[in-house]
Amino acid sequence: MAIVSITSTSVAVNPLKQSQAIGATLAFLGFKGMLPLLHGSPGCSAFTKIPLAQHLRKAIPLSSTAMTEVSAIMGGEDKVEQAILQLVQSYQPEIIGLCTTGLTETKGDDMRRFVKDIRYRYPELDHIPIVLVSTPDFKGTLQDGFAAVVESIVKEIPQKVEQCRPQQIALLASSAFTPGDIQEIKEIIAAFGLEAIAIPDLSALLDTHLEHEYSGITTSGTTVAQLGAIASSVFTVALGESMRGAAKILEKRFNIPYEVFGELTGLDATDKFLQALADISGQSVPEKYRRQRRQLQDVMLQTHTYFGCKRVTLALEPDLLSSMVTILQSMGAQIHAAVTTSRSPLLEKLAIPCVTIGDLEDFEQLAVGSELLIANSYASATSQRLQIPLYLQGIPICDGFRPTVGHRLGNAMSNKVGYQGTMQVLFDIGNLLLMP
């Protein structure tokens, strides 16, 4: 059981934590016909858009209410109204994702009243869901903003149905999973004869450029019609502890049972996931995955000597931190230190002495003596200063920095889940540990 410590400095010299608005915008990209809209200044949207565009290597549809110094003082209701009307006229979105920012939260804009009044004045907008999420920069993290979107979606959009569909399940995946991960998870679920409605479906980000030109709204992802039918699911699979809240909402509203899977990387975690799918579907595990399981066992046998007693320091969001700690420990590696962004029930359950809620300065101090670092691209300078290999995980992974090694290209398509994904993670980390 880990002791959770919080640094008490009055300044973040090298921040690890990222804005909730970034996580919320990323989640909104997983819905078709979505128009993400930030209620804040143009700078707020720029600081949200740039890391996501660098990480995904794609143009990101994102608009702003363009608050000025006058509207920041006098109130931004007219700005929200003008932005929604103009964007509906220009892009015809099927759904609007409205996020707040630190600027408007500090001002105290009553966003729920704003949306209610706009709907009253413009009944022609009734057919467009407006999903409001509170995402101030001064509290919470990327993971929290992502989870807040999923909770708002399942709270507002699904409609009660009379009959459930025995082969349909709801899939709630946290920000710890890449688009490539989601695609692999959907394929595994489909192999059991089940249909998953993913909230959100980030796997669509992999092929948005194949059939469409750039659009001011998202062109792929979970549709509003699918969201409306989510209540007919027989089970909810929640991936990541941060999805527990959304799963509870579905259980409370529609009596849909759920199970939370903290990670899908590793032999035991994948075994548990596939067994759950076999129980839900009534089908046995397909031979394809039985073979992959034998392959993973062989890879673990071949590579465990390179992991044994290696000292690793990590700086990741809680869900991803838990997953990486579990797979490393299963291979015999030692967690030298762990730094994360915010509190989570997962942290105290980790089988390590201590977890620090801090920034990358804490990470650099704690990492001395390690043989491997795991963090996002912002830790590349630490890696160079300490001359310790860096395995890139999290968001962002991008150019503009010079990491030691990692998925700088094709990051969105990387897969770390299931037997196949676990083998790739072991090869990637094993190759780093082999470096002289």
Side-chain angles (χ1 to χ4, degrees):
M1 186 171 181
I3 297 173
V4 180
S5 65
I6 304 175
T7 54
S8 57
T9 58
S10 56
V11 60
V13 177
N14 193 359
L16 169 65
K17 183 185 294 188
Q18 297 190 71
S19 164
Q20 285 197 78
I22 296 177
T25 303
L26 177 63
F28 279 138
L29 296 178
F31 301 96
K32 185 179 181 182
M34 170 64 75
L35 194 158
L37 173 62
L38 288 187
H39 180 38
S41 70
C44 296
S45 62
F47 279 114
T48 298
K49 192 168 188 173
I50 289 172
L52 288 177
Q54 290 176 328
H55 178 73
L56 298 170
R57 292 178 176 272
K58 295 181 182 299
I60 302 300
L62 178 63
S63 298
S64 163
T65 57
M67 293 280 283
T68 63
E69 65 272 29
V70 174
S71 54
I73 296 171
M74 302 303 293
E77 182 172 4
D78 61 329
K79 286 283 187 181
V80 177
E81 179 178 313
Q82 292 168 14
I84 290 177
L85 293 177
Q86 183 174 341
L87 293 173
V88 168
Q89 182 180 15
S90 301
Y91 300 111
Q92 296 85 48
E94 299 170 37
I95 179 172
I96 295 173
L98 179 57
C99 304
T100 61
T101 59
L103 174 65
T104 55
E105 289 278 358
T106 304
K107 167 66 175 58
D109 283 350
D110 187 348
M111 294 297 293
R112 296 209 173 275
R113 183 183 66 78
F114 285 8
V115 174
K116 186 177 179 181
D117 289 349
I118 292 170
R119 285 203 178 281
Y120 179 77
R121 287 195 291 271
Y122 300 94
E124 63 269 28
L125 299 178
D126 285 351
H127 68 287
I128 302 176
I130 300 176
V131 180
L132 173 62
V133 186
S134 174
T135 53
D137 308 281
F138 47 76
K139 69 176 183 179
T141 67
L142 182 151
Q143 177 179 291
D144 298 324
F146 192 100
V149 167
V150 178
E151 290 183 16
S152 293
I153 291 278
V154 300
K155 189 181 295 180
E156 297 179 18
I157 297 182
Q159 302 153 3
K160 193 170 181 60
V161 294
E162 298 297 331
Q163 195 169 17
C164 69
R165 300 182 60 189
Q167 302 304 313
Q168 178 182 302
I169 64 173
L171 175 64
L172 311 178
S174 78
S175 59
F177 296 89
T178 68
D181 292 338
I182 303 300
Q183 180 167 279
E184 175 69 11
I185 292 165
K186 288 176 65 179
E187 289 178 3
I188 293 174
I189 292 173
F192 286 84
L194 299 170
E195 178 190 357
I197 297 180
I199 308 176
D201 187 359
L202 292 179
S203 68
L205 291 175
L206 297 177
D207 51 21
T208 50
H209 65 289
L210 297 180
E211 301 176 0
H212 306 280
E213 300 294 333
Y214 173 75
S215 171
I217 61 175
T218 56
T219 53
S220 301
T222 306
T223 65
V224 174
Q226 288 176 313
L227 293 174
I230 201 79
S232 60
S233 303
V234 295
F235 199 82
T236 297
V237 173
L239 306 179
E241 183 61 32
S242 62
M243 292 293 104
R244 186 180 293 276
K248 285 183 175 179
I249 292 172
L250 286 177
E251 182 186 48
K252 185 177 181 181
R253 289 189 65 192
F254 308 114
N255 200 28
I256 303 174
Y258 72 90
E259 183 170 358
V260 178
F261 297 86
E263 60 271 338
L264 291 187
T265 304
L267 186 66
D268 292 341
T270 307
D271 284 351
K272 182 183 175 186
F273 181 60
L274 266 60
Q275 184 59 54
L277 294 178
D279 294 340
I280 297 169
S281 65
Q283 296 188 17
S284 59
V285 177
E287 176 56 31
K288 172 184 176 180
Y289 297 109
R290 293 176 184 272
R291 183 168 183 273
Q292 286 184 5
R293 188 180 193 277
R294 294 192 294 270
Q295 290 176 323
L296 174 57
Q297 287 177 308
D298 184 57
V299 169
M300 293 175 72
L301 188 63
Q302 292 178 25
T303 58
H304 80 280
T305 54
Y306 306 112
F307 284 78
C309 299
K310 296 293 184 182
R311 300 181 299 278
V312 184
T313 298
L314 310 94
L316 299 167
E317 296 265 6
D319 280 359
L320 188 53
L321 176 72
S322 174
S323 176
M324 295 307 299
V325 165
T326 302
I327 181 63
L328 289 167
Q329 289 184 323
S330 73
M331 294 297 293
Q334 295 180 356
I335 305 304
H336 184 73
V339 180
T340 191
T341 55
S342 64
R343 278 196 172 276
S344 166
L346 282 175
L347 301 181
E348 294 176 345
K349 297 176 183 176
L350 294 176
I352 56 179
C354 178
V355 181
T356 300
I357 298 176
D359 59 16
L360 288 173
E361 186 183 49
D362 302 307
F363 173 69
E364 184 163 341
Q365 293 172 356
L366 293 169
V368 176
S370 300
E371 294 167 271
L372 178 69
L373 307 178
I374 300 180
N376 63 27
S377 287
Y378 294 151
S380 59
T382 297
S383 170
Q384 291 177 356
R385 282 193 289 268
L386 298 181
Q387 294 296 300
I388 301 173
L390 171 65
Y391 180 57
L392 291 171
Q393 284 287 293
I395 299 173
I397 296 175
C398 55
D399 282 332
F401 304 90
R402 296 192 176 278
T404 306
V405 174
H407 292 286
R408 296 171 63 190
L409 292 175
N411 171 65
M413 301 186 76
S414 66
N415 169 30
K416 63 179 180 300
V417 301
Y419 301 126
Q420 194 78 40
T422 302
M423 282 188 274
Q424 190 60 54
V425 169
L426 296 183
F427 287 141
D428 290 342
I429 297 179
N431 285 330
L432 277 175
L433 295 174
L434 278 171
M435 290 174 63

